[in-house]
Amino acid sequence: MEYKVAVLPGDGIGPEIIEEAVRVIRAVEEKYGLKVELNYAPVGGAAWEEHGNHLPEETLKICRESAAILFGAVGGPVSEQNLPKWKDVERTALLGLRKEFDLFANLRHIRLPSYLSGASPLKNEIVKGGFDIMFVRELTGGIYFADPKGRAGRGSGEKAFDTMVYHRWEIERIARLAFEIARKRKKKLTSIDKANVLTTMSFWREVVEEVATEYPDVNFENMLVDNAAMQLVKNPGQFDVVLCGNMFGDILTDEAAGIAGSLGMLPSASLREDNFGMYEPGGGSAPDIAGKGIANPIAQILSAAMMFKYTFGREDISKDIEKAVDNVLERGYRTLDIALGNVKKVSTKELGEMIVNEVLKS
Ligand code: IPM
Ligand code: MG
């Protein structure tokens, strides 16, 4: 079996952590006797240098010819934000790829294993048991993309506006996917909305409730977004699968990631209906630590694990990689971002190497 993957390392720590994920992919090839063809393409500031564009046509072409995209990170240092190289880079590259490939479903697996509970900023009594939440965020609709949006008028009457729209089919497809995922987990689904104020969101609630009747085995609840923001810090362990529209999902996943302690551990998948997917770590380009060999490669490695599961249908491989990561962490090896207390601090490469060895040995 041959799998074709577009590899977009991008900026900052992107290239370093992608390198470790690629080593894990090579180990998987060896162990399972399969072939993964990797085609590298530039994106973000790295693409700007060569092409004067954050998402060059050549890169899109390579992505179109692949079954999945392994994405590193884009973005530059705060002090350089106004340079053309970085201006709107995240928006152009990320929103561009999401729209181009109709990546409507964003899965963010936010997990705090109990042995890392000390990394959370929350009190130990709240997080000592750890938590494991799968956020399912609608990614190509809602207020991010709907028209009209723009600016008009002048003086004190000058205004700016965005429009929030959700179609029935958009809500139905993301809700079904979330329920299917809940079925394979702890069978609990919390749908987030603002049905008490926004028309789009009472429609969201109505449609999700209809879909819920197809899944009587899943324990379903609605939750207002403001309450959800509070519940996340009071008792994150109550959540299993959390379904959100585009903007609420953006906000709540950052909150949840913050509670989990390190962005360096969080993988994500952005999926199209036919299982084409983009796999991206949650942490961004972290230019302050780029090139120092200290970045945590785990989010990128776990994103590759998600790729095997969701695009290639190889849950066995995905579990194998996840287990390898857990085993290395449980033996006390950590990169700096999660190095609390009496642990063995290792570099990006060393941690990658250990995960590779673990995959090969088990
Ligand atoms: C994310 C990011 C993006 C978003 C930005 C960079 C466009 O915050 O992936 O969550 O808002 O979706
Ligand atoms: Mg965000």
Side-chain angles (χ1 to χ4, degrees):
M1 187 68 192
E2 183 159 325
Y3 303 114
K4 242 178 143 168
V5 178
V7 182
L8 278 48
D11 306 314
I13 61 170
E16 307 163 41
I17 57 177
I18 282 253
E19 205 177 307
E20 300 314 309
V22 165
R23 289 211 284 163
V24 171
I25 291 171
R26 294 298 178 222
V28 163
E29 281 186 299
E30 189 181 323
K31 179 168 172 180
Y32 290 85
L34 43 86
K35 174 96 194 73
V36 185
E37 184 187 316
L38 301 175
N39 294 306
Y40 283 77
V43 72
W48 181 268
E49 308 264 275
E50 280 171 66
H51 303 267
N53 184 334
H54 293 132
L55 188 58
E57 185 49 40
E58 172 202 308
T59 296
L60 288 172
K61 183 165 177 285
I62 291 175
C63 295
R64 279 188 209 111
E65 289 163 355
S66 306
I69 304 169
L70 190 64
F71 187 95
V74 292
V78 181
S79 58
E80 297 177 13
Q81 283 315 305
N82 292 325
L83 299 181
K85 179 179 175 186
W86 301 119
K87 193 156 181 341
D88 290 333
V89 58
E90 289 184 310
R91 215 163 69 188
T92 320
L94 287 172
L95 299 192
L97 283 163
R98 288 172 192 171
K99 208 57 189 173
E100 172 72 25
F101 293 99
D102 197 14
L103 306 172
F104 75 98
N106 183 218
L107 316 185
R108 295 186 170 176
H109 190 190
I110 305 190
R111 172 173 173 253
L112 180 72
S114 51
Y115 59 83
L116 280 180
S117 63
S120 171
L122 295 184
K123 283 195 192 119
N124 201 254
E125 61 195 76
I126 295 176
V127 288
K128 60 176 183 290
F131 59 84
D132 184 322
I133 311 176
M134 182 64 91
F135 279 87
V136 179
R137 168 187 174 195
E138 199 291 325
L139 202 61
T140 47
I143 199 167
Y144 269 56
F145 290 101
D147 286 324
K149 52 171 76 225
R151 297 175 66 137
R154 52 199 318 177
S156 64
E158 187 178 5
K159 63 178 182 178
F161 50 93
D162 296 283
T163 308
M164 179 126 140
V165 175
Y166 267 117
H167 297 89
R168 170 176 286 279
W169 59 271
E170 288 177 297
I171 305 171
E172 283 176 353
R173 70 174 178 177
I174 193 75
R176 287 214 172 88
L177 191 122
F179 276 104
E180 292 295 335
I181 290 172
R183 248 188 192 162
K184 296 193 194 118
R185 288 172 47 99
K186 284 185 245 139
K187 294 191 166 50
K188 178 169 181 198
L189 188 143
T190 308
S191 173
I192 307 299
D193 63 42
K194 188 69 186 171
N196 53 349
V197 178
L198 302 173
T199 316
T200 12
M201 287 286 99
S202 53
F203 181 55
W204 174 280
R205 181 173 289 205
E206 197 181 302
V207 176
V208 176
E209 278 174 350
E210 278 171 37
V211 174
T213 62
E214 297 166 25
Y215 298 87
D217 52 321
V218 175
N219 174 3
F220 166 71
E221 65 180 357
N222 293 300
M223 193 178 280
L224 293 171
V225 63
D226 47 352
N227 183 30
M230 179 177 68
Q231 293 300 328
L232 267 173
V233 288
K234 281 179 74 174
N235 179 15
Q238 71 184 285
F239 296 106
D240 177 24
V241 175
V242 178
L243 167 66
C244 330
N246 206 343
M247 186 164 63
F248 294 162
D250 177 45
I251 299 167
L252 291 183
T253 54
D254 259 32
E255 185 190 354
I259 293 166
S262 172
L263 282 171
M265 302 279 292
L266 308 172
S268 81
S270 303
L271 305 174
R272 189 165 73 190
E273 269 172 291
D274 64 357
N275 295 336
F276 178 95
M278 175 159 113
Y279 298 86
E280 181 196 347
S285 62
D288 51 321
I289 60 162
K292 297 187 177 157
I294 56 172
N296 189 341
I298 289 178
Q300 189 81 62
I301 290 170
L302 293 176
S303 297
M306 288 182 100
M307 174 177 84
F308 281 106
K309 175 168 171 177
Y310 291 101
T311 293
F312 301 130
R314 295 294 303 261
E315 196 169 351
D316 55 333
I317 297 177
S318 149
K319 284 216 170 96
D320 197 0
I321 299 172
E322 285 169 8
K323 186 94 193 68
V325 168
D326 264 336
N327 286 349
V328 169
L329 288 173
E330 267 165 314
R331 272 192 260 124
Y333 295 101
R334 305 275 195 274
T335 42
L336 267 185
D337 56 323
I338 47 170
L340 300 145
N342 187 19
V343 295
K344 300 157 209 153
K345 294 191 187 86
V346 290
S347 68
T348 309
K349 283 205 166 312
E350 286 164 335
L351 197 67
E353 182 78 30
M354 284 174 194
I355 295 168
V356 162
N357 291 337
E358 197 64 32
V359 166
L360 289 175
K361 130 181 153 204
S362 54

